[in-house]
Amino acid sequence: MRTSVALLPAIALFIAPGLAGCSGDAAPAAPTRTDVGVVHVPTSAAPTTDSAGHRIQPLPAAVSHVAMSDDRVRGIDYSYLQPVGWSRADRRLDPPPDTLLQPDDDSVPAFIAVERPIKVGSHSLSEVVDGLREGFEAKGLAPMAAPEREIAGYRAMGIVVDQSEQVRHVYYVVPYTEQAFAIRLTYDPAHPEALDVYRAVLDSWSWG
């Protein structure tokens, strides 16, 4: 995969004014009817924006089962299971990542890179992610949000940015010990199995 990695920004902090939230009292629930044989099951739709108000780009559902080895890839204050069929590798990325995996099969254009953690002190996760978004926007790209999730018990926010029809970047940023960890998948959307591997890596994550 010919990826112009030079245009990918490192995490930078652009301190933006906090968004003031507003809340109101929830409307009282209607009393449950007991004279009809109907059970009302509450329903909920997937959110269309993240907690910072950015529109979410839905990601494809899993298409394959991912086998994980017993080997753990260890980085700075974290580790994760190594997927079967993927290996540690070196790529010319700037800045160099802390850890990087890519498929053993050269026909699958993808890699997973964990950026070296950045000290963020008291800055919020939203501020850090907004800084990364602004870096993409400065390059003329249009980042969207990924569905929020937890990584080893810590809240993570995501970014999806399409560099071209063949190159998509998915980042999840998670704070740990006043540092921000950016975990990145770069892949061809025509190979969604790489996204399944990425999710399995995030699911196997541990700290320390």
Side-chain angles (χ1 to χ4, degrees), residues 87-167:
S87 300
R88 296 192 66 156
D90 294 320
R91 293 183 77 107
R92 293 182 179 178
L93 303 184
D94 185 19
D98 186 40
T99 60
L100 186 144
L101 294 180
Q102 66 183 29
D104 298 333
D105 183 353
D106 293 338
S107 68
V108 180
F111 64 87
I112 296 171
V114 184
E115 312 290 355
R116 293 182 179 274
I118 303 295
K119 289 192 176 294
V120 295
S122 61
H123 295 299
S124 70
L125 175 59
S126 295
E127 289 172 332
V128 176
V129 173
D130 280 346
L132 185 57
R133 292 177 64 90
E134 290 187 23
F136 281 122
E137 290 167 349
K139 298 295 184 180
L141 299 173
M144 296 182 67
E148 294 186 36
R149 57 164 293 157
E150 284 193 356
I151 297 177
Y154 287 74
R155 174 173 164 257
M157 295 180 70
I159 293 176
V160 180
V161 60
D162 290 331
Q163 184 173 329
S164 69
E165 290 185 359
Q166 292 79 36
V167 180

Side-chain angles (χ1 to χ4, degrees), residues 187-206:
Y187 76 115
D188 183 341
H191 291 267
E193 65 271 18
L195 183 60
D196 296 340
V197 173
Y198 179 62
R199 289 174 172 137
V201 164
L202 298 182
D203 289 342
S204 72
W205 198 274
S206 66

